[in-house]
Each structure stands twice: as C-alpha cells, then as structure tokens.
Amino acid sequence: MTTIARNLQDVRARIATACQLAGRNVEDVTLLAVSKTFGAEAVRAAAGAGQRAFGENYVQEGIDKIAQLRDLALAWHCIGPLQSNKTRLVAEHFDWVHTVDRLKIAERLSAQRPEGLAPLNVCIQVNIDGGPTKSGVAPAEALALARAVAALPRLALRGLMTIPEPAPDFEAACAVHARARALFDQLNAEGLGLDTLSMGMSADLEAAVAAGSTMVRIGTAIFGVRARSA
C-alpha cells in the first residue's frame, strides 16, 4: 500500500468515526482530495486507492492534470479564488466550482460553459465568520446571490462553501460550522434545493461533519505537507 493509499484509509476512518459520533450516514459525506501542488502521479496514486473527486486551487495547474489523467474517470473541483480572466478555463474543463462569490463570475461561467458538457456544479462561497482575509459573500447577501445564480443557464447551484478562520478548539470550530449549516438550511427553506455544504479540512473535518458538512476538502492529511515557495 502506498503512503497516499494509507493516508486515504486513515482519512476515511476519521470521517466514518465523525459520522458515527454525529449519528450520520458516512455515505452522506463526500471526500474531496485537494491535490494542489502535487503532480499527476500523486493523483493517480489516490485514484488507484479509490478516490474519484479532486480539488485544485490553481486553474492552469488543474487543467494540466486533467489533460494528463483523461484515462481516469475523475471529478474535478475548482476550489481556489476565481478571477474573471479564468472563468472560461474553469467553465470548459472543470466539473465543479466552489468559489463563486459574486454574480459577475457566475454569469461568465454560465455564458462560457460549453453546451456539450453537463451543467457546471456551483457552490457559493460564504465568508461565514467575517474573516478579513477571506473571500466570500457576506451571509446576509447569500440568499440574493443564490437566487440569481440558480436562475442562470448551464449552471447547477448545489450549495455553499466556507473557509472559516482557524478555531482554537473543537467546540469553537463546531460553532462556526453550525452557522454555515444554519444558513444552508435557511436557503433551502426559501426553496433553493441545495444538497452540498462544502466545509471542513484536514484540521477540522470532525467539527465540520458534526455540524452537517456534506463535503470535506482534505489535502495535507492525504498528500502530505506542501513545500513552501522560496
């Protein structure tokens, strides 16, 4: 068994334990392997261990891997900040985008999604705790943006994504994730029909699952520590 395969096994066990403690079905939580800065062979090793969904923060890096791994049936998620000049590349190559935080970006993705592809799955990024360095729409503005995005063609609005500031302990992490779940529920009460709450990473996946996350984005715990740029 490769190191990546062992790490995946460990992460899946963490998710299963978290689901058991929360009284949830493990099948209701998707594992998204965040492969940014790791090469196509690392993704291939993870795929060999049964992983199918991969998240990329950098658009061009992701596209390069998608091209190298076309022989594998993988789902590719863009989870990094998205600028207007990158929307066409995302619309043409990715299956999901988690970081829509303004209508202009959604409109460009909608217009640029090729008709021959399935609708692009979209999550709205919400700055759930008001972190000063975080992207995302303010919670109070999420409903209006969600309604506008849901009305666009060639997109499928699936849910919300959050990246809260690191919490000091499990209880604090649960509290902030619970705010995201409450917003998710509020939008569904308004008829949005969302099914995806993308929250939780290597350090806080247990708290995210306890609060209701349906998709955890795990990088370090699977692929290892990323090399720092010089």
Side-chain angles (χ1 to χ4, degrees), residues 12 18 23 26 37 46 54 74 76 90 102 115 119 121 125 134 151 157 159 172 199 223:
R12 290 172 183 144
V26 70
T37 77
F54 291 88
L74 305 179
W76 292 94
V90 172
R102 54 198 188 279
E115 291 190 6
N121 296 296
Q125 184 173 355
K134 301 294 185 183
L157 178 63
M199 64 182 188
F223 296 105

Side-chain angles (χ1 to χ4, degrees), residues 69-92:
L69 298 166
R70 288 201 184 280
D71 58 306
L72 301 176
L74 305 179
W76 292 94
H77 297 236
C78 177
I79 62 172
L82 186 54
Q83 303 301 320
S84 295
N85 63 348
K86 299 289 187 181
T87 55
R88 181 175 296 279
L89 293 173
V90 172
E92 291 177 347

Side-chain angles (χ1 to χ4, degrees), residues 167-178:
D169 53 44
F170 179 80
E171 288 74 17
C174 284
V176 70
H177 288 316

Side-chain angles (χ1 to χ4, degrees), residues 4-161:
I4 288 174
R6 280 196 303 273
N7 290 346
L8 272 169
Q9 188 177 71
D10 291 343
V11 169
R12 290 172 183 144
R14 286 177 63 188
I15 294 171
T17 298
C19 286
Q20 183 178 22
L21 291 171
R24 299 183 60 196
N25 189 331
V26 70
E27 294 179 357
D28 293 336
V29 180
T30 297
L31 171 57
L32 180 62
V34 179
S35 43
K36 68 175 182 181
T37 77
F38 290 92
E41 288 312 305
V43 175
R44 190 174 292 278
Q51 181 63 27
R52 288 293 175 264
F54 291 88
E56 290 287 331
N57 287 62
Y58 309 115
V59 174
Q60 190 57 56
E61 178 188 340
I63 290 173
D64 292 344
K65 291 177 201 173
I66 292 169
Q68 294 176 63
L69 298 166
R70 288 201 184 280
D71 58 306
L72 301 176
L74 305 179
W76 292 94
H77 297 236
C78 177
I79 62 172
L82 186 54
Q83 303 301 320
S84 295
N85 63 348
K86 299 289 187 181
T87 55
R88 181 175 296 279
L89 293 173
V90 172
E92 291 177 347
H93 295 278
F94 284 82
D95 303 295
W96 285 71
V97 57
H98 290 226
T99 50
V100 171
D101 61 0
R102 54 198 188 279
L103 184 57
K104 174 185 176 182
I105 293 294
E107 289 172 338
R108 290 177 64 89
L109 291 168
S110 173
Q112 294 165 346
R113 182 68 168 176
E115 291 190 6
L117 297 180
L120 180 64
N121 296 296
V122 170
C123 289
I124 291 173
Q125 184 173 355
V126 180
N127 187 352
I128 195 65
D129 57 352
T133 65
K134 301 294 185 183
S135 300
V137 65
E141 299 170 3
L143 176 58
L145 179 57
R147 283 175 169 159
V149 172
L152 293 171
R154 311 300 309 146
L155 302 182
L157 178 63
R158 298 295 297 272
L160 305 179
M161 183 271 249

